[in-house]
Amino acid sequence: MTNNTVIGIDLAKASFAVIELGRGGDVKRRKTFRRDGLKRFLAKHEPATVALEACGSAHYWGRWLEEHGHKPALLPPQHVKGYLRGQKNDYNDAQAIAEACLHGAINPVKVKSIEQQDDQAFHAIRRSLKVESTRLVNQMRGLLAEYGLTVPKSVSAFRRRVPELLEDAENGLSTRFRMLLNRQWRRLQASLEEQAWYDEQVQQQAKEDGTCRRLTGVPGVGPVVASAIKSWMGDGQQFRRGRDASAALGLVPKQYSTGGKQSLYGITKRGDAYLRSLVVHGARAVVRTAKNKQDALSQWALAVEARRGHNRAVVAVANKIIRMAWVIVARQEHYRSVEKRILAGA
């Protein structure tokens, strides 16, 4: 703790509930501030531990608090919920946050840098563009089916087929629908051109950024996965070891134990679902091509597949990828120097 004071803040867009606790848990202050008022209050306050839920705008506030001499503690919301007493309101939420921090049993989330948030914004926009183009193609395929015209599922097939449909005067499409189809076609073209720019940026980052270059040496990790891992993991210092990183991403079994009997189920699926899906897809490619390779990871993946089945092997490889990625990021090592050590701990 920075001193004897813990301040819990329930974040919002305009109105912020603040609870200030002493080391004994006694409430020293209970007040609501507007945004500017909260900044004036914290700027004048002596250095303290300021607890926030790791939600929207929390990383901005974390950086601001560090600049003004405070110690931010960003706590995962799902762990704070257990400290809530009584009905849910802003003050009770703020007190639960402060008490969770005072208890000290919850590991805080590391404050993200501007660069990390830029990378995450980049991937969020790129992902939304891909979702939009897929949704647009599926919608138009469905509408064309109502006119008795079928189009294959892929975006590339749709791009080839639409010009043919627009030029064919005998396919039964009305003038009005042709106009609608043409407008959606142009919209898809614009979206794909925008996606191409994002893909170029990813490729450029993979060449220029040292961390991304080292990450792309790991099987199953291409430029997109490397960039997403880097933006999520940062410098990796928030994790003590690679196992902690894979657990934070939800790539470990869900456990239910009672009375000395331990039961393990599917993976927990905690953390960033987008990054986890990218890593699992990369692991699937590793397992699919492993029979044609002789490297240690491929042979290990084949052994797991033979023993536990294909899907478990894919998840196991995804787990190893994140563990190796943590060593590469946190210790700035290269893939070949960590592969043998990570697999030995399998």
Side-chain angles (χ1 to χ4, degrees):
M1 297 295 177
T2 304
N3 64 3
N4 293 332
T5 298
V6 174
I7 300 173
I9 302 177
D10 183 41
L11 294 178
K13 292 181 179 178
S15 179
F16 302 81
V18 174
I19 293 287
E20 187 173 349
L21 301 181
R23 285 297 297 272
D26 53 307
V27 178
K28 299 173 64 177
R29 189 188 306 270
R30 185 175 184 269
K31 192 170 182 179
T32 298
F33 294 93
R34 306 295 288 181
R35 179 177 294 269
D36 291 340
L38 177 63
K39 286 186 173 182
R40 288 194 296 270
F41 164 70
L42 292 172
K44 295 178 181 178
H45 199 286
E46 62 182 357
T49 298
V50 182
L52 319 162
E53 283 187 323
C55 57
S57 77
H59 293 282
Y60 160 75
W61 283 105
R63 292 191 299 271
W64 188 92
L65 289 165
E66 288 177 337
E67 291 171 0
H68 289 78
H70 297 290
K71 179 183 178 183
L74 274 55
L75 307 179
Q78 66 270 27
H79 299 323
V80 172
K81 188 175 181 181
Y83 290 85
L84 180 64
R85 299 194 304 275
Q87 301 185 54
K88 177 175 169 44
N89 58 53
D90 292 345
Y91 282 124
N92 284 347
D93 287 347
Q95 185 160 351
I97 294 167
E99 290 180 353
C101 179
L102 192 64
H103 187 206
I106 301 176
N107 291 326
V109 175
K110 188 172 182 180
V111 177
K112 293 187 183 300
S113 66
I114 288 288
E115 182 186 8
Q116 282 180 272
Q117 288 200 283
D118 288 347
D119 286 342
Q120 288 192 325
F122 176 91
H123 282 281
I125 296 170
R126 180 179 178 275
R127 183 167 70 249
S128 68
L129 285 169
K130 287 187 171 294
V131 169
E132 180 186 7
S133 61
T134 302
R135 182 196 61 77
L136 193 152
V137 168
N138 288 338
Q139 180 190 49
M140 296 311 299
R141 287 181 63 248
L143 292 174
L144 284 166
E146 297 294 330
Y147 290 83
L149 300 171
T150 59
V151 180
K153 287 184 178 181
S154 69
V155 174
S156 59
F158 183 83
R159 294 180 69 186
R160 291 192 301 269
R161 180 71 170 134
V162 169
E164 298 173 1
L165 294 175
L166 291 172
E167 292 175 5
D168 186 359
E170 306 298 328
N171 55 20
L173 293 180
S174 66
T175 302
R176 186 180 183 190
F177 186 80
R178 287 177 190 276
M179 178 183 67
L180 296 174
L181 181 60
N182 183 53
R183 294 183 69 87
Q184 293 297 82
W185 163 248
R186 287 187 293 171
R187 182 179 170 190
L188 175 63
Q189 290 289 84
S191 177
L192 293 175
E193 289 176 6
E194 187 72 5
Q195 288 180 42
W197 180 86
Y198 281 86
D199 291 341
E200 289 174 5
Q201 294 295 307
V202 169
Q203 296 292 338
Q204 184 176 346
Q205 183 186 26
K207 294 177 182 177
E208 297 178 354
D209 186 273
T211 300
C212 287
R213 277 202 309 272
R214 292 195 305 275
L215 286 171
T216 53
V218 180
V221 177
V224 174
V225 182
S227 177
I229 289 175
K230 180 177 180 290
S231 69
W232 174 74
M233 194 176 291
D235 60 6
Q237 298 305 316
Q238 69 272 37
F239 303 116
R240 291 182 302 163
R241 53 187 180 175
R243 292 177 186 270
D244 294 341
S246 61
L249 199 58
L251 290 170
V252 295
K254 187 182 297 183
Q255 179 181 358
Y256 181 84
S257 301
T258 182
K261 182 179 179 181
Q262 185 181 66
S263 300
L264 298 178
Y265 301 95
I267 58 174
T268 63
K269 295 186 178 181
R270 295 170 58 187
D272 191 324
Y274 170 67
L275 175 58
R276 185 172 57 251
S277 69
L278 291 179
V279 175
V280 168
H281 285 317
R284 188 171 288 115
V286 171
V287 176
R288 186 176 64 249
T289 59
K291 59 186 177 182
N292 302 320
K293 298 180 180 180
Q294 297 300 318
D295 62 280
L297 180 61
S298 296
Q299 293 302 306
W300 178 82
L302 288 174
V304 175
E305 185 180 32
R307 190 170 65 250
R308 303 300 303 277
H310 179 75
N311 289 338
R312 287 188 176 91
V314 168
V315 173
V317 171
N319 181 296
K320 297 299 182 190
I321 287 174
I322 288 298
R323 289 171 58 184
M324 288 187 285
W326 176 81
V327 178
I328 289 169
V329 172
R331 300 178 183 172
Q332 299 185 4
E333 296 187 24
H334 292 270
Y335 169 64
R336 291 300 174 191
S337 64
V338 302
E339 176 190 24
K340 193 171 183 179
R341 185 164 72 248
I342 293 294
L343 292 176

